[in-house]
Coordinates of all heavy atoms in Angstrom, one line a residue:
F1363 N 87.3 104.6 108.2 CA 86.6 104.9 107.0 C 85.1 104.7 107.2 O 84.7 104.0 108.2 CB 87.1 104.2 105.8 CG 87.0 102.7 105.9 CD1 86.0 102.0 105.3 CD2 88.0 101.9 106.5 CE1 85.9 100.7 105.4 CE2 88.0 100.6 106.5 CZ 86.9 99.9 105.9
G1364 N 84.3 105.2 106.3 CA 82.8 105.0 106.4 C 82.1 106.3 106.8 O 82.7 107.3 106.8
A1365 N 80.8 106.2 107.1 CA 80.0 107.3 107.4 C 79.0 106.9 108.5 O 78.4 105.8 108.4 CB 79.3 107.9 106.2
E1366 N 78.9 107.7 109.5 CA 78.0 107.3 110.6 C 76.5 107.2 110.2 O 75.8 106.3 110.8 CB 78.1 108.4 111.7 CG 79.4 108.4 112.5 CD 79.6 107.2 113.4 OE1 78.6 106.5 113.7 OE2 80.7 106.8 113.7
D1367 N 76.1 107.9 109.2 CA 74.7 107.9 108.9 C 74.3 107.5 107.5 O 73.1 107.6 107.1 CB 74.1 109.4 109.1 CG 74.9 110.4 108.3 OD1 75.8 110.0 107.6 OD2 74.4 111.6 108.3
S1368 N 75.2 106.9 106.8 CA 74.9 106.4 105.4 C 75.9 105.4 104.9 O 77.0 105.3 105.5 CB 74.8 107.6 104.5 OG 76.1 108.2 104.3
A1369 N 75.5 104.8 103.8 CA 76.5 103.9 103.1 C 77.6 104.7 102.5 O 77.4 106.0 102.4 CB 75.7 103.1 102.0
S1370 N 78.7 104.1 102.2 CA 79.8 104.9 101.7 C 80.7 104.1 100.8 O 80.8 102.9 100.9 CB 80.6 105.6 102.8 OG 81.2 104.6 103.6
W1371 N 81.4 104.8 99.9 CA 82.5 104.3 99.1 C 83.8 104.9 99.7 O 83.8 106.1 99.9 CB 82.4 104.6 97.6 CG 81.5 103.8 96.9 CD1 80.1 103.9 96.7 CD2 81.8 102.6 96.2 NE1 79.6 102.9 96.0 CE2 80.6 102.1 95.6 CE3 83.0 101.9 96.0 CZ2 80.6 100.9 94.8 CZ3 82.9 100.7 95.2 CH2 81.7 100.3 94.6
N1372 N 84.8 104.1 99.9 CA 86.1 104.6 100.4 C 87.2 104.0 99.7 O 87.3 102.8 99.4 CB 86.2 104.2 101.9 CG 85.0 104.7 102.7 OD1 85.0 105.8 103.2 ND2 84.0 103.9 102.8
Q1373 N 88.2 104.8 99.4 CA 89.5 104.3 98.9 C 90.4 104.2 100.1 O 90.6 105.3 100.7 CB 90.1 105.1 97.8 CG 91.3 104.6 97.2 CD 91.9 105.4 96.1 OE1 91.8 106.6 96.1 NE2 92.6 104.8 95.1
I1374 N 91.0 103.1 100.4 CA 91.8 102.9 101.5 C 93.1 102.2 101.1 O 93.2 101.5 100.2 CB 91.2 102.2 102.7 CG1 90.8 100.8 102.3 CG2 89.9 102.9 103.2 CD1 90.4 99.9 103.5
V1375 N 94.1 102.5 101.9 CA 95.4 101.8 101.8 C 95.9 101.4 103.2 O 95.9 102.2 104.1 CB 96.5 102.7 101.2 CG1 97.8 102.0 101.1 CG2 96.1 103.3 99.8
C1376 N 96.1 100.1 103.3 CA 96.6 99.6 104.6 C 98.2 99.6 104.4 O 98.7 98.7 103.7 CB 96.1 98.2 105.0 SG 96.6 97.7 106.6
V1377 N 98.8 100.6 105.0 CA 100.3 100.7 104.8 C 101.0 99.7 105.7 O 100.9 99.8 106.9 CB 100.7 102.1 105.1 CG1 102.2 102.3 104.8 CG2 100.0 103.1 104.2
F1378 N 101.7 98.8 105.1 CA 102.5 97.9 105.8 C 103.7 97.5 104.9 O 103.5 97.4 103.7 CB 101.7 96.6 106.2 CG 102.3 95.8 107.3 CD1 102.4 96.3 108.6 CD2 102.7 94.5 107.1 CE1 102.9 95.6 109.6 CE2 103.3 93.8 108.1 CZ 103.4 94.3 109.4
P1379 N 104.9 97.2 105.4 CA 106.0 97.0 104.5 C 106.1 95.6 103.9 O 107.1 95.4 103.2 CB 107.2 97.2 105.5 CG 106.7 96.9 106.8 CD 105.3 97.3 106.8
T1380 N 105.1 94.8 104.0 CA 105.2 93.5 103.3 C 103.9 93.2 102.6 O 102.8 93.8 103.0 CB 105.4 92.3 104.3 OG1 104.4 92.3 105.2 CG2 106.8 92.4 105.0
A1381 N 103.9 92.4 101.5 CA 102.7 92.1 100.8 C 101.8 91.2 101.7 O 102.3 90.4 102.5 CB 103.0 91.3 99.5
M1382 N 100.5 91.4 101.7 CA 99.6 90.6 102.5 C 98.2 90.6 101.8 O 97.9 91.4 101.0 CB 99.5 91.1 103.9 CG 98.9 92.5 104.1 SD 98.7 93.0 105.8 CE 100.3 92.7 106.5
T1383 N 97.4 89.6 102.2 CA 96.0 89.5 101.7 C 95.1 90.4 102.5 O 95.5 90.7 103.7 CB 95.5 88.1 101.6 OG1 95.3 87.7 103.0 CG2 96.5 87.1 100.9
L1384 N 93.9 90.7 102.0 CA 93.0 91.4 102.8 C 92.6 90.6 104.1 O 92.4 91.2 105.1 CB 91.7 91.6 102.0 CG 91.8 92.6 100.9 CD1 90.4 92.7 100.2 CD2 92.3 93.9 101.3
N1385 N 92.6 89.3 104.0 CA 92.3 88.4 105.1 C 93.4 88.3 106.1 O 93.2 87.8 107.2 CB 91.8 87.1 104.7 CG 90.4 87.1 104.0 OD1 89.5 87.7 104.6 ND2 90.3 86.6 102.9
E1386 N 94.6 88.8 105.8 CA 95.7 88.9 106.7 C 95.7 90.2 107.5 O 96.6 90.4 108.3 CB 97.0 88.7 106.0 CG 97.2 87.3 105.5 CD 98.5 87.1 104.6 OE1 98.8 88.0 103.9 OE2 99.0 86.0 104.7
M1387 N 94.7 91.0 107.2 CA 94.6 92.3 107.9 C 93.4 92.2 108.9 O 92.6 91.3 108.8 CB 94.3 93.4 106.9 CG 95.3 93.6 105.9 SD 94.8 94.8 104.7 CE 96.1 94.6 103.4
Q1388 N 93.5 93.1 109.9 CA 92.4 93.1 110.9 C 91.4 94.1 110.5 O 91.7 95.3 110.3 CB 93.0 93.5 112.3 CG 92.0 93.6 113.4 CD 92.7 94.0 114.7 OE1 93.8 93.7 114.9 NE2 91.9 94.7 115.5
W1389 N 90.1 93.7 110.3 CA 89.0 94.5 109.9 C 88.0 94.6 111.1 O 87.6 93.6 111.6 CB 88.3 93.9 108.7 CG 89.2 93.9 107.5 CD1 90.1 92.9 107.2 CD2 89.4 94.9 106.5 NE1 90.8 93.2 106.0 CE2 90.3 94.5 105.6 CE3 88.8 96.1 106.3 CZ2 90.7 95.2 104.5 CZ3 89.1 96.9 105.2 CH2 90.1 96.4 104.3
D1390 N 87.6 95.8 111.4 CA 86.6 96.0 112.4 C 85.5 96.9 111.8 O 85.8 97.9 111.1 CB 87.2 96.7 113.6 CG 88.2 95.8 114.4 OD1 87.8 94.6 114.6 OD2 89.3 96.2 114.6
G1391 N 84.2 96.6 112.1 CA 83.1 97.5 111.7 C 82.5 97.2 110.4 O 81.6 97.9 110.0
L1392 N 82.9 96.1 109.8 CA 82.3 95.7 108.5 C 81.0 94.9 108.8 O 80.9 94.3 109.8 CB 83.3 94.8 107.7 CG 84.5 95.6 107.2 CD1 85.4 94.6 106.4 CD2 84.2 96.7 106.3
N1393 N 80.2 94.8 107.8 CA 79.0 94.0 107.9 C 78.9 93.0 106.7 O 79.4 93.3 105.6 CB 77.7 94.9 107.8 CG 77.7 95.8 109.0 OD1 77.8 95.4 110.2 ND2 77.6 97.1 108.8
E1394 N 78.2 91.9 106.9 CA 77.9 91.0 105.8 C 77.5 91.7 104.6 O 76.6 92.6 104.7 CB 76.9 90.0 106.2 CG 77.3 89.0 107.2 CD 77.9 87.7 106.7 OE1 77.8 87.4 105.5 OE2 78.7 87.0 107.4
G1395 N 78.1 91.4 103.4 CA 77.7 92.0 102.2 C 78.5 93.2 101.8 O 78.4 93.7 100.6
D1396 N 79.4 93.8 102.7 CA 80.3 94.9 102.2 C 81.2 94.3 101.2 O 81.5 93.1 101.2 CB 81.0 95.4 103.4 CG 80.2 96.2 104.4 OD1 79.0 96.6 104.0 OD2 80.6 96.5 105.5
E1397 N 81.7 95.2 100.3 CA 82.5 94.7 99.2 C 83.8 95.5 99.0 O 83.9 96.6 99.4 CB 81.7 94.9 97.8 CG 80.5 94.0 97.7 CD 79.7 94.2 96.5 OE1 79.7 95.3 95.9 OE2 79.1 93.2 96.0
A1398 N 84.8 94.8 98.5 CA 86.1 95.4 98.3 C 86.4 95.1 96.8 O 86.1 94.1 96.2 CB 87.2 94.8 99.1
Y1399 N 87.0 96.1 96.2 CA 87.4 96.1 94.8 C 88.9 96.3 94.7 O 89.4 97.3 95.1 CB 86.7 97.1 94.0 CG 85.2 96.9 93.9 CD1 84.4 97.2 95.0 CD2 84.6 96.2 92.8 CE1 83.0 97.0 94.9 CE2 83.2 96.0 92.8 CZ 82.5 96.4 93.8 OH 81.1 96.1 93.8
I1400 N 89.6 95.4 94.0 CA 91.1 95.5 93.8 C 91.4 95.7 92.3 O 90.9 94.9 91.5 CB 91.8 94.2 94.3 CG1 91.5 94.0 95.8 CG2 93.3 94.3 94.1 CD1 92.0 92.7 96.4
F1401 N 92.1 96.7 92.0 CA 92.5 96.9 90.6 C 93.6 96.0 90.2 O 94.5 95.7 90.9 CB 93.0 98.4 90.4 CG 93.3 98.8 89.0 CD1 92.2 99.1 88.2 CD2 94.6 98.8 88.5 CE1 92.5 99.4 86.9 CE2 94.8 99.2 87.2 CZ 93.8 99.5 86.4
D1402 N 93.4 95.4 89.0 CA 94.4 94.4 88.4 C 95.1 95.2 87.3 O 94.6 95.4 86.2 CB 93.7 93.2 87.8 CG 94.6 92.2 87.2 OD1 95.8 92.5 86.9 OD2 94.2 91.0 87.0
P1403 N 96.4 95.6 87.6 CA 97.1 96.4 86.6 C 97.4 95.6 85.3 O 97.6 96.2 84.2 CB 98.4 96.8 87.3 CG 98.6 95.8 88.4 CD 97.2 95.3 88.7
V1404 N 97.5 94.3 85.3 CA 97.7 93.5 84.1 C 96.5 93.6 83.2 O 96.7 93.8 82.0 CB 98.1 92.0 84.5 CG1 98.2 91.2 83.2 CG2 99.4 92.0 85.3
Q1405 N 95.3 93.4 83.7 CA 94.1 93.4 82.9 C 93.5 94.8 82.8 O 92.6 95.0 82.1 CB 93.1 92.5 83.6 CG 93.4 91.0 83.5 CD 92.4 90.1 84.1 OE1 91.4 90.6 84.7 NE2 92.5 88.9 83.9
Q1406 N 94.1 95.8 83.5 CA 93.7 97.2 83.4 C 92.2 97.3 83.8 O 91.4 98.0 83.1 CB 94.0 97.8 82.1 CG 95.4 98.0 81.8 CD 96.0 99.1 82.7 OE1 95.6 100.2 82.8 NE2 97.0 98.7 83.5
G1407 N 91.8 96.6 84.9 CA 90.4 96.7 85.3 C 90.3 96.1 86.7 O 91.3 95.6 87.3
Y1408 N 89.1 96.1 87.2 CA 88.9 95.6 88.6 C 88.5 94.1 88.5 O 87.8 93.7 87.6 CB 87.8 96.4 89.3 CG 88.3 97.7 89.7 CD1 88.2 98.8 88.9 CD2 89.0 97.9 90.9 CE1 88.7 100.0 89.2 CE2 89.5 99.1 91.3 CZ 89.3 100.2 90.4 OH 89.8 101.4 90.8
K1409 N 89.0 93.3 89.5 CA 88.7 91.9 89.6 C 87.2 91.8 90.1 O 86.6 92.8 90.5 CB 89.6 91.2 90.6 CG 91.0 91.3 90.2 CD 91.9 90.6 91.3 CE 93.3 90.6 91.0 NZ 94.2 90.0 92.0
S1410 N 86.7 90.6 90.2 CA 85.4 90.4 90.8 C 85.4 91.0 92.2 O 86.4 90.9 92.9 CB 85.0 88.9 90.9 OG 85.0 88.3 89.6
P1411 N 84.2 91.6 92.6 CA 84.2 92.2 93.9 C 84.4 91.1 95.0 O 83.9 90.0 94.8 CB 82.8 92.8 94.0 CG 82.0 92.2 93.0 CD 82.9 91.8 91.9
L1412 N 85.1 91.4 96.0 CA 85.2 90.5 97.2 C 84.2 90.9 98.2 O 83.9 92.1 98.4 CB 86.6 90.6 97.8 CG 87.8 90.3 96.8 CD1 89.1 90.6 97.5 CD2 87.7 88.9 96.3
T1413 N 83.6 90.0 98.8 CA 82.5 90.2 99.7 C 82.8 89.8 101.1 O 83.4 88.7 101.3 CB 81.2 89.5 99.2 OG1 80.9 89.8 97.9 CG2 80.0 89.8 100.1
W1414 N 82.6 90.7 102.1 CA 82.8 90.3 103.5 C 81.6 89.4 103.9 O 80.5 89.8 104.0 CB 82.8 91.6 104.3 CG 83.1 91.4 105.8 CD1 82.2 91.5 106.8 CD2 84.3 91.1 106.4 NE1 82.8 91.2 108.0 CE2 84.1 91.0 107.7 CE3 85.6 90.8 105.8 CZ2 85.2 90.7 108.6 CZ3 86.6 90.5 106.7 CH2 86.4 90.5 108.1
S1415 N 81.9 88.1 104.0 CA 80.8 87.1 104.1 C 81.3 85.9 104.9 O 82.4 85.5 104.9 CB 80.4 86.7 102.7 OG 79.4 85.7 102.8
S1416 N 80.3 85.3 105.6 CA 80.6 84.0 106.3 C 80.1 82.9 105.5 O 80.2 81.7 105.9 CB 79.9 84.1 107.7 OG 78.5 84.2 107.6
A1417 N 79.6 83.1 104.3 CA 79.0 82.0 103.5 C 80.0 80.9 103.1 O 79.7 79.8 103.2 CB 78.4 82.6 102.2
V1418 N 81.2 81.3 102.7 CA 82.2 80.4 102.3 C 82.8 79.7 103.5 O 83.1 78.5 103.5 CB 83.3 81.0 101.5 CG1 84.4 80.1 101.1 CG2 82.7 81.6 100.2
T1419 N 83.1 80.4 104.6 CA 83.8 79.9 105.8 C 82.8 79.1 106.7 O 83.2 78.2 107.4 CB 84.4 81.0 106.6 OG1 83.4 81.8 107.2 CG2 85.4 81.8 105.8
G1420 N 81.5 79.5 106.7 CA 80.6 78.8 107.6 C 80.8 79.3 109.0 O 80.1 78.8 109.9
A1421 N 81.6 80.2 109.2 CA 81.9 80.7 110.6 C 82.1 82.2 110.5 O 81.3 83.0 110.0 CB 83.1 80.0 111.2
A1422 N 83.3 82.7 111.0 CA 83.6 84.1 111.0 C 83.7 84.6 109.5 O 84.2 84.0 108.7 CB 84.9 84.4 111.7
P1423 N 83.2 85.9 109.3 CA 83.3 86.4 108.0 C 84.8 86.6 107.5 O 85.7 86.8 108.3 CB 82.6 87.8 108.1 CG 82.0 87.8 109.4 CD 82.6 86.8 110.3
A1424 N 84.9 86.6 106.2 CA 86.2 86.8 105.6 C 86.0 87.4 104.2 O 84.9 87.3 103.6 CB 87.0 85.5 105.4
W1425 N 87.0 88.0 103.6 CA 86.9 88.5 102.3 C 86.9 87.3 101.3 O 87.8 86.5 101.3 CB 88.0 89.5 101.9 CG 87.9 90.8 102.6 CD1 88.7 91.2 103.6 CD2 86.9 91.8 102.4 NE1 88.3 92.5 104.0 CE2 87.2 92.8 103.2 CE3 85.8 91.9 101.5 CZ2 86.5 94.0 103.3 CZ3 85.1 93.0 101.6 CH2 85.4 94.1 102.4
S1426 N 85.8 87.2 100.6 CA 85.6 86.0 99.7 C 85.1 86.4 98.3 O 84.4 87.4 98.2 CB 84.5 85.1 100.3 OG 84.9 84.7 101.6
D1427 N 85.5 85.6 97.3 CA 85.0 85.8 96.0 C 83.8 84.8 95.8 O 84.0 83.6 95.7 CB 86.1 85.5 94.9 CG 85.7 85.8 93.5 OD1 84.4 85.7 93.2 OD2 86.5 86.0 92.7
L1428 N 82.6 85.4 96.0 CA 81.5 84.5 95.9 C 81.2 83.9 94.6 O 80.5 82.9 94.4 CB 80.2 85.3 96.5 CG 80.3 85.7 97.9 CD1 79.1 86.4 98.3 CD2 80.7 84.6 98.9
N1429 N 81.8 84.5 93.5 CA 81.7 83.9 92.1 C 82.4 82.6 92.0 O 82.0 81.7 91.3 CB 82.1 84.9 91.1 CG 81.2 86.1 91.0 OD1 80.0 86.0 91.1 ND2 81.8 87.3 90.8
L1430 N 83.6 82.6 92.7 CA 84.4 81.4 92.7 C 84.2 80.5 94.0 O 84.8 79.4 94.1 CB 85.9 81.7 92.6 CG 86.3 82.5 91.4 CD1 87.8 83.0 91.5 CD2 86.1 81.7 90.1
W1431 N 83.4 81.0 94.9 CA 83.1 80.3 96.2 C 84.4 80.0 96.9 O 84.7 78.9 97.3 CB 82.2 79.1 96.0 CG 81.5 78.7 97.2 CD1 81.8 77.7 98.1 CD2 80.4 79.5 97.8 NE1 80.9 77.7 99.1 CE2 80.0 78.8 99.0 CE3 79.7 80.6 97.5 CZ2 79.0 79.2 99.8 CZ3 78.7 81.0 98.3 CH2 78.3 80.3 99.5
S1432 N 85.3 81.0 97.0 CA 86.6 80.8 97.7 C 86.9 82.0 98.5 O 86.5 83.1 98.2 CB 87.6 80.5 96.7 OG 87.9 81.6 95.9
I1433 N 87.7 81.8 99.5 CA 88.3 82.9 100.3 C 89.4 83.5 99.5 O 90.2 82.8 98.9 CB 88.8 82.4 101.7 CG1 87.6 81.8 102.5 CG2 89.6 83.4 102.4 CD1 88.0 81.2 103.8
D1434 N 89.4 84.8 99.5 CA 90.4 85.5 98.6 C 91.8 85.3 99.2 O 92.0 85.4 100.4 CB 90.1 87.0 98.5 CG 91.1 87.7 97.6 OD1 91.1 87.4 96.4 OD2 91.8 88.6 98.1
S1435 N 92.8 85.1 98.3 CA 94.2 85.0 98.7 C 95.1 85.9 97.9 O 96.3 85.7 97.8 CB 94.6 83.5 98.5 OG 94.5 83.1 97.2
S1436 N 94.5 86.9 97.2 CA 95.3 87.9 96.4 C 96.2 88.7 97.3 O 95.7 89.3 98.3 CB 94.4 88.8 95.7 OG 93.5 88.1 94.9
K1437 N 97.5 88.7 97.0 CA 98.4 89.5 97.8 C 98.4 91.0 97.3 O 98.5 91.2 96.1 CB 99.9 89.0 97.7 CG 100.1 87.6 98.4 CD 100.3 87.8 99.8 CE 100.7 86.5 100.5 NZ 100.9 86.6 101.9
L1438 N 98.3 91.9 98.2 CA 98.4 93.3 97.9 C 99.8 93.8 98.2 O 100.4 93.5 99.3 CB 97.4 94.1 98.8 CG 96.0 93.7 98.7 CD1 95.2 94.6 99.7 CD2 95.5 93.9 97.3
V1439 N 100.4 94.5 97.3 CA 101.7 95.1 97.5 C 101.6 96.3 98.5 O 100.6 96.9 98.5 CB 102.4 95.4 96.2 CG1 102.6 94.2 95.3 CG2 101.6 96.5 95.5
P1440 N 102.7 96.6 99.2 CA 102.7 97.8 100.1 C 102.2 99.0 99.3 O 102.7 99.3 98.2 CB 104.1 97.9 100.5 CG 104.6 96.5 100.5 CD 104.0 95.9 99.3
G1441 N 101.3 99.7 99.9 CA 100.7 101.0 99.3 C 99.6 100.8 98.3 O 99.1 101.8 97.8
Q1442 N 99.3 99.5 97.9 CA 98.2 99.3 97.0 C 96.9 99.7 97.6 O 96.5 99.2 98.6 CB 98.2 97.9 96.5 CG 97.2 97.6 95.4 CD 97.2 96.2 94.9 OE1 98.0 95.4 95.3 NE2 96.4 95.9 93.9
A1443 N 96.1 100.5 96.8 CA 94.8 100.9 97.3 C 93.7 100.0 96.9 O 93.8 99.3 95.9 CB 94.5 102.3 96.8
I1444 N 92.6 100.0 97.7 CA 91.4 99.2 97.3 C 90.2 100.1 97.6 O 90.3 101.1 98.3 CB 91.3 97.9 98.2 CG1 91.2 98.3 99.7 CG2 92.4 96.9 97.9 CD1 90.8 97.1 100.5
F1445 N 89.2 99.8 96.9 CA 87.9 100.5 97.1 C 87.0 99.6 98.0 O 86.9 98.4 97.7 CB 87.2 100.9 95.8 CG 87.7 102.0 95.1 CD1 88.5 101.9 94.0 CD2 87.4 103.3 95.6 CE1 89.0 103.0 93.3 CE2 88.0 104.4 94.9 CZ 88.8 104.3 93.8
V1446 N 86.4 100.2 99.0 CA 85.5 99.4 99.9 C 84.1 100.1 99.8 O 84.0 101.3 100.0 CB 86.0 99.4 101.4 CG1 85.0 98.7 102.2 CG2 87.3 98.7 101.5
N1447 N 83.2 99.3 99.4 CA 81.8 99.7 99.4 C 81.1 99.2 100.7 O 80.8 98.1 100.8 CB 81.1 99.1 98.2 CG 79.6 99.5 98.1 OD1 79.1 100.3 98.8 ND2 78.9 99.0 97.1
K1448 N 81.1 100.2 101.6 CA 80.4 99.8 102.9 C 78.9 100.1 102.7 O 78.5 101.3 102.6 CB 81.0 100.7 104.0 CG 80.5 100.3 105.4 CD 81.5 100.6 106.4 CE 81.1 100.3 107.8 NZ 80.0 99.4 108.0
K1449 N 78.1 99.1 102.6 CA 76.8 99.2 102.2 C 75.8 99.7 103.3 O 74.7 100.0 103.0 CB 76.3 97.8 101.7 CG 77.1 97.5 100.4 CD 76.5 96.2 99.7 CE 77.2 96.0 98.4 NZ 76.5 95.0 97.6
G1450 N 76.2 99.8 104.5 CA 75.4 100.3 105.6 C 76.1 101.4 106.3 O 77.3 101.7 106.1
A1451 N 75.4 102.1 107.1 CA 75.9 103.2 107.9 C 76.9 102.7 108.9 O 76.8 101.5 109.3 CB 74.8 103.9 108.6
G1452 N 77.8 103.5 109.3 CA 78.8 103.2 110.4 C 80.2 103.3 109.9 O 80.5 103.3 108.7
T1453 N 81.1 103.3 110.8 CA 82.5 103.4 110.4 C 83.2 102.1 110.6 O 82.7 101.2 111.3 CB 83.3 104.5 111.3 OG1 83.1 104.1 112.6 CG2 82.7 105.9 111.0
A1454 N 84.4 101.9 110.0 CA 85.1 100.7 110.0 C 86.6 101.0 110.0 O 87.0 102.2 109.8 CB 84.8 99.8 108.8
S1455 N 87.4 100.0 110.3 CA 88.9 100.2 110.2 C 89.6 99.0 109.7 O 89.1 97.9 109.7 CB 89.4 100.6 111.6 OG 89.2 99.5 112.5
C1456 N 90.8 99.3 109.3 CA 91.7 98.2 108.7 C 93.1 98.5 109.3 O 93.5 99.6 109.3 CB 91.7 98.3 107.2 SG 93.0 97.4 106.4
A1457 N 93.7 97.4 109.7 CA 95.1 97.5 110.3 C 95.8 96.2 110.0 O 95.2 95.2 109.8 CB 95.0 97.8 111.8
P1458 N 97.1 96.2 110.0 CA 97.9 95.0 109.9 C 97.5 94.1 111.1 O 97.3 94.6 112.2 CB 99.3 95.4 110.0 CG 99.3 96.8 109.6 CD 98.0 97.4 110.1
M1459 N 97.4 92.8 110.9 CA 97.1 91.8 111.9 C 98.3 91.8 112.9 O 99.4 91.7 112.5 CB 96.9 90.4 111.4 CG 96.3 89.4 112.3 SD 94.6 89.7 112.8 CE 93.8 89.2 111.4
T1460 N 98.0 91.9 114.2 CA 99.1 91.8 115.2 C 99.2 90.4 115.6 O 98.3 89.5 115.5 CB 98.8 92.7 116.4 OG1 97.5 92.3 117.0 CG2 98.7 94.2 116.0
S1461 N 100.3 90.0 116.2 CA 100.6 88.6 116.6 C 99.7 88.2 117.7 O 99.6 87.0 117.9 CB 102.1 88.5 117.0 OG 102.4 89.3 118.1
D1462 N 99.1 89.1 118.5 CA 98.3 88.6 119.6 C 96.8 88.5 119.2 O 96.0 88.3 120.0 CB 98.4 89.6 120.8 CG 97.9 91.0 120.4 OD1 97.9 91.4 119.2 OD2 97.6 91.8 121.4
K1463 N 96.5 88.6 117.9 CA 95.1 88.5 117.4 C 94.9 87.1 116.8 O 95.7 86.5 116.3 CB 94.8 89.5 116.4 CG 94.9 90.9 116.9 CD 93.6 91.3 117.7 CE 93.8 92.7 118.2 NZ 92.9 93.1 119.2

C-alpha cells in the first residue's frame, strides 16, 4: 500500500485466521509518525490514532497510543480493516509475523 510520490490514506486488511495486534504483524516501509486508525464497533467511532513511533519503546518503532504513552495491544479479529495514514511518499507492506522473524 502507499504511493511512490506522495502521502496516502489506505484501507488495509491483514488476512490471517487468528486475532492479533498490529504489533504482532510484520510492517515494512513505514516511517516515524505514520498513523493507523481502528474502528471501535461498540463506540461506533475510531479510537485514538496509533502512531508508528520509537518514542514509547526507546528502540525499534511500534504501533503506540501516544495519548496513553503505551504500545498498542488491541486485538484485531480476522478480516478487520484499518486505515493507515502514510504521511510520506513510498510504499509499505503488512503481513503476519513469521516464526523466523
Side-chain angles (χ1 to χ4, degrees):
F1363 61 93
E1366 288 293 338
D1367 56 356
S1368 66
S1370 63
W1371 278 89
N1372 305 273
Q1373 183 181 33
I1374 63 169
V1375 177
C1376 187
V1377 181
F1378 199 68
T1380 60
M1382 63 177 54
T1383 71
L1384 292 180
N1385 288 311
E1386 292 173 324
M1387 299 174 191
Q1388 178 180 331
W1389 296 87
D1390 293 309
L1392 295 178
N1393 297 308
E1394 288 273 340
D1396 288 346
E1397 294 178 330
Y1399 294 80
I1400 301 172
F1401 186 75
D1402 182 341
V1404 174
Q1405 294 181 349
Q1406 291 295 298
Y1408 288 89
K1409 299 178 181 181
S1410 296
L1412 301 174
T1413 304
W1414 185 253
S1415 175
S1416 59
V1418 176
T1419 65
W1425 289 111
S1426 303
D1427 186 333
L1428 298 182
N1429 293 320
L1430 300 175
W1431 203 253
S1432 65
I1433 294 174
D1434 183 62
S1435 61
S1436 306
K1437 290 279 187 181
L1438 301 178
V1439 296
Q1442 184 176 0
I1444 60 168
F1445 282 103
V1446 176
N1447 180 5
K1448 187 151 176 23
K1449 295 188 173 192
T1453 59
S1455 65
C1456 166
M1459 189 71 73
T1460 58
S1461 60
D1462 63 335
K1463 298 279 181 195

